[in-house]
Amino acid sequence: MKKSTLLVMCVLSALSLSSISLVAHANDRPTTLPSERPGLQTWNKETVYTKGDSARYLGRLWVAKWWTQGDRPQHDNESGPWKLVRLIDNDNNHSKPNNFKVTRYRAGVKYSAGDRVRMPNGSVYRCRDWPATPWCELEGYAPGKTQHWRDAWSRVN
């Protein structure tokens, strides 16, 4: 009887120590849930975002596609956890993402999904999403010029 009592006490003691240890580990790194933030806040690497949560980062409004923490919103990472919704100024005025800066197309430049370029004839093209994105920098896929341009670009106007 004494051995079984001693065994039960050891097991209970071990369980209570592991639960204390788990609590300590869980509280090592404080997190802020989006529901605790008033209004639209700037993205923070310490904040836990779940699907549908929004954050402002570098003048853009982003929405989380799934649970994420510490993943910086980037428009060149279409497979990442963030979706670009629109541009935002400091007064929280919104404009649609199609107002991105349009640059002159240059072969060999690394373009990201969503980048817009203008060709000499005035036509504007948008670099397609992954997996076509790497082709946007190749001269053989120059927008509107080659037979394969539609594999990398979409015509905007």
Side-chain angles (χ1 to χ4, degrees), residues 58-116:
L58 297 178
R60 292 172 170 88
L61 175 64
W62 301 87
V63 174
K65 295 190 272 186
W66 55 78
W67 185 99
T68 182
Q69 182 180 15
D71 294 306
R72 183 170 39 98
Q74 301 175 46
H75 78 279
D76 62 348
N77 186 4
E78 295 292 320
S79 62
W82 292 100
K83 178 181 178 184
L84 176 62
V85 176
R86 66 189 65 202
L87 301 177
I88 302 175
D89 63 19
N90 289 336
D91 298 324
N92 285 338
N93 295 323
H94 306 298
S95 63
K96 294 184 179 178
N98 64 359
N99 292 335
F100 276 90
K101 181 179 177 183
V102 178
T103 59
R104 181 177 54 91
Y105 173 78
R106 291 181 294 154
V109 171
K110 185 177 188 311
Y111 292 102
S112 300
D115 284 352
R116 297 173 190 276

Side-chain angles (χ1 to χ4, degrees):
M1 186 81 166
K2 289 183 181 183
K3 285 184 182 179
S4 62
T5 305
L6 182 60
L7 179 63
V8 169
M9 290 176 62
C10 288
V11 168
L12 289 176
S13 177
L15 287 175
S16 66
L17 287 176
S18 66
S19 65
I20 291 170
S21 170
L22 290 175
V23 170
H25 288 300
N27 291 328
D28 283 350
R29 190 168 161 196
T31 57
T32 306
L33 296 175
S35 59
E36 298 171 351
R37 299 175 292 140
L40 182 60
Q41 296 293 317
T42 303
W43 173 82
N44 182 328
K45 69 179 180 179
E46 298 297 323
T47 301
V48 172
Y49 298 91
T50 57
K51 183 178 181 177
D53 290 334
S54 59
R56 179 179 21 188
Y57 185 69
L58 297 178
R60 292 172 170 88
L61 175 64
W62 301 87
V63 174
K65 295 190 272 186
W66 55 78
W67 185 99
T68 182
Q69 182 180 15
D71 294 306
R72 183 170 39 98
Q74 301 175 46
H75 78 279
D76 62 348
N77 186 4
E78 295 292 320
S79 62
W82 292 100
K83 178 181 178 184
L84 176 62
V85 176
R86 66 189 65 202
L87 301 177
I88 302 175
D89 63 19
N90 289 336
D91 298 324
N92 285 338
N93 295 323
H94 306 298
S95 63
K96 294 184 179 178
N98 64 359
N99 292 335
F100 276 90
K101 181 179 177 183
V102 178
T103 59
R104 181 177 54 91
Y105 173 78
R106 291 181 294 154
V109 171
K110 185 177 188 311
Y111 292 102
S112 300
D115 284 352
R116 297 173 190 276
V117 297
R118 183 176 312 278
M119 295 304 283
N121 65 2
S123 296
V124 176
Y125 297 85
R126 178 190 173 278
C127 182
R128 290 186 179 267
D129 295 339
W130 178 262
T133 306
W135 297 336
C136 292
E137 67 184 88
L138 301 176
E139 191 171 2
Y141 292 87
K145 286 192 167 189
T146 67
Q147 65 182 13
H148 301 293
W149 72 267
R150 286 181 181 87
D151 293 335
W153 299 91
S154 298
R155 188 169 176 179
V156 176
N157 72 355

